[in-house]
C-alpha cells in the first residue's frame, strides 16, 4: 500500500482579457478496491461563478466550471491524495472457456462489452493486421494471458516514446509507420489491436508515479498519463500500460475510463476571442509519496 500525492496545474495565457466560457475537468480519481480517494481539492483562478459536479455515461467524475468574467489568465490547480494498493503482476484467473485465445464472451456479458469490441479506426490496407502477424500467428490457439502480455511487450519494446503536447491521438497506422508516439498513441494502438483480436478494451486516463521524480519539492513539467484496460473473463478489466510495459495497476492512478480517447480529455473549454489571443498552455503534473514529503 502507498499514499500518493498528485499536484496537477494547468495554466492558460491570453494576449488580452477574453471572456471565459465553460470548462470541463476530469481529474478526480475513481474509487475502487485498489485505490481509495482520501482528499481532492480544486482551486481555479479567476474565481468561477459556478462549479458543478456530475457523473458521465461511464461513471467518471466530471467538473463543469462556469465563469462570469474576462481574464488574460486562467489557472486550474488540483491536489489529490490517494491510497493505492499495487498489483505487481496480474492474477490471470481466467474462466475455463477463455483460457485459450480466440474465445467468445458469454451471452450474459457480450451485449455490455460489445461497444468495447467494436473497432474505432478503419484499416483498408490492414497495417495493423500485418504488424500483428510479425509476432502472433492469427487463427492458432494460444494462452490468453500470453497473447495479451506479448501484445503489451511488442509495443513497449518496439516503439520510441515521443511526448506530444498537441491534442488528439495518432491513428494506429500512423504510429506503426512512425514507430513512435505518446502514451495516448500507444494506448490507442493496443486497444485497436486487442479489439481486432476480439477482446473488449477501453481507454484510461490518469497519472503515473515515477520514483525517480519523487522528492521533497514539487517538480514541474510532468503530464497526465494514458493506458488501457482489457476485459478478461474471470479477471475482469486488467490494466495494460504499453508505454512502460506495465501489466496490472502498479504506479497507475485511474481518473477516467472511456470507449475512445476523445471521451476522456482531462481538461477542455472555450473562450470568446480569436486564435491569435492564445499565448499558450502549460501543464505541470507531479506525483509523489507522502514519505517524500515527511
Amino acid at each position: 500500500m502507498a499514499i500518493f500525492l498528485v499536484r496537477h496545474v494547468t495554466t492558460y495565457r491570453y494576449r488580452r482579457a477574453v471572456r471565459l466560457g465553460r470548462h470541463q475537468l476530469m481529474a478526480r480519481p475513481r474509487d475502487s478496491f485498489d485505490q481509495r480517494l482520501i482528499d481532492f481539492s480544486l482551486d481555479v483562478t479567476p474565481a468561477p461563478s459556478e462549479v458543478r459536479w456530475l457523473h458521465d455515461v461511464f461513471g467518471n467524475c466530471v467538473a463543469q466550471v462556469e465563469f462570469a468574467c474576462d481574464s488574460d489568465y486562467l489557472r486550474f490547480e488540483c491536489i489529490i491524495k490517494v491510497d493505492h494498493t499495487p498489483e505487481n503482476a496480474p492474477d490471470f484467473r481466467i474462466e475455463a472457456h477463455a483460457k485459450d485465445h480466440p474465445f467468445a464472451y458469454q451471452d450474459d456479458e457480450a451485449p455490455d462489452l460489445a461497444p468495447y469490441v467494436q473497432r474505432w479506426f478503419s484499416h483498408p490496407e490492414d497495417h495493423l493486421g500485418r504488424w500483428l502477424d510479425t509476432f502472433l500467428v492469427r487463427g492458432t490457439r494460444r494462452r490468453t494471458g500470453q497473447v495479451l502480455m506479448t501484445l503489451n511487450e511488442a509495443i513497449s519494446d518496439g516503439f520510441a516514446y515521443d511526448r506530444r503536447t498537441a491534442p488528439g491521438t495518432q491513428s494506429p497506422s500512423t504510429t506503426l509507420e512512425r514507430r513512435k508516439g505518446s502514451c495516448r498513441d500507444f494506448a490507442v494502438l493496443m486497444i485497436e489491436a486487442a479489439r481486432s483480436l476480439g477482446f473488449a478494451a477501453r481507454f484510461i486516463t490518469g497519472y503515473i508515479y515515477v520514483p525517480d521524480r519523487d522528492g521533497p519539492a514539487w517538480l514541474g513539467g510532468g503530464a497526465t498519463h494514458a493506458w488501457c484496460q482489457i476485459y478478461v473473463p474471470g479477471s475482469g478489466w486488467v490494466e495494460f500500460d504499453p508505454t512502460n510495459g506495465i501489466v496490472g495497476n502498479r504506479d497507475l492512478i485511474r481518473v477516467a475510463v472511456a470507449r475512445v480517447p476523445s471521451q476522456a480529455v482531462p481538461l477542455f473549454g472555450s473562450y470568446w476571442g480569436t486564435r491569435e489571443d492564445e499565448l499558450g498552455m502549460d501543464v505541470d503534473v507531479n506525483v509523489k509519496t507522502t514519505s517524500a514529503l515527511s
Side-chain angles (χ1 to χ4, degrees):
M1 184 182 73
I3 305 296
F4 288 144
L5 294 173
V6 183
R7 179 175 180 259
H8 180 179
V9 180
T10 303
T11 306
Y12 298 93
R13 293 172 289 106
Y14 304 97
R15 191 178 306 277
R16 62 183 179 88
V18 297
R19 174 58 58 92
L20 300 173
R22 174 185 293 176
H23 283 65
Q24 181 165 297
L25 174 77
M26 281 185 175
R28 185 183 178 97
R30 296 170 65 97
D31 276 300
S32 186
F33 62 88
D34 58 355
Q35 70 173 37
R36 179 174 64 88
L37 181 61
I38 299 173
D39 193 26
F40 177 89
S41 67
L42 170 63
D43 181 70
V44 184
T45 307
S49 59
E50 181 185 18
V51 177
R52 175 173 171 260
W53 286 94
L54 55 87
H55 288 106
D56 69 5
V57 68
F58 304 105
N60 303 311
C61 288
V62 178
Q64 292 187 343
V65 185
E66 304 279 2
F67 298 91
C69 64
D70 296 358
S71 179
D72 61 358
Y73 175 87
L74 178 58
R75 182 178 186 271
F76 294 81
E77 180 179 19
C78 298
I79 304 294
I80 302 160
K81 189 174 185 180
V82 175
D83 183 346
H84 183 273
T85 303
E87 181 185 38
N88 292 322
D91 183 7
F92 283 126
R93 299 189 183 186
I94 303 176
E95 294 180 5
H97 76 279
K99 286 186 179 295
D100 292 324
H101 179 269
F103 65 89
Y105 291 116
Q106 293 189 328
D107 292 345
D108 60 337
E109 295 178 328
D112 301 305
L113 295 172
Y116 300 99
V117 179
Q118 183 177 352
R119 303 279 293 275
W120 185 32
F121 291 89
S122 61
H123 300 272
E125 298 181 19
D126 199 24
H127 295 146
L128 186 64
R130 293 204 301 271
W131 172 67
L132 288 172
D133 287 340
T134 63
F135 58 91
L136 290 177
V137 180
R138 287 185 285 179
T140 61
R141 296 191 66 77
R142 296 179 60 183
R143 305 298 283 180
T144 296
Q146 182 185 24
V147 171
L148 295 173
M149 297 278 280
T150 300
L151 177 56
N152 196 57
E153 291 169 4
I155 300 173
S156 176
D157 296 341
F159 296 79
Y161 177 73
D162 179 26
R163 180 178 176 182
R164 293 186 297 106
T165 58
T169 57
Q170 294 177 168
S171 70
S173 294
T174 300
T175 302
L176 289 169
E177 180 181 357
R178 298 183 67 223
R179 307 300 295 185
K180 62 182 180 179
S182 69
C183 59
R184 292 168 291 163
D185 303 324
F186 295 153
V188 167
L189 175 59
M190 181 152 184
I191 288 169
E192 195 70 4
R195 289 175 178 175
S196 76
L197 295 171
F199 290 101
R202 62 187 186 182
F203 182 84
I204 311 293
T205 185
Y207 306 104
I208 184 169
Y209 169 66
V210 181
D212 291 346
R213 293 181 60 81
D214 211 337
W218 292 114
L219 300 176
T224 56
H225 190 52
W227 61 100
C228 67
Q229 289 179 335
I230 296 175
Y231 190 81
V232 181
S235 293
W237 289 104
V238 180
E239 245 115 349
F240 291 88
D241 177 7
T243 301
N244 299 289
I246 296 173
V247 181
N249 73 333
R250 189 188 78 241
D251 297 334
L252 300 173
I253 303 170
R254 290 184 302 276
V255 169
V257 305
R259 182 174 49 84
V260 296
S262 59
Q263 298 168 318
V265 178
L267 177 63
F268 67 91
S270 61
Y271 69 90
W272 282 268
T274 66
R275 184 173 296 276
E276 288 71 28
D277 291 327
E278 296 182 28
L279 293 180
M281 177 187 73
D282 298 313
V283 178
D284 285 334
V285 174
N286 197 210
V287 183
K288 57 177 71 274
T289 58
T290 53
S291 60
L293 298 179
S294 59

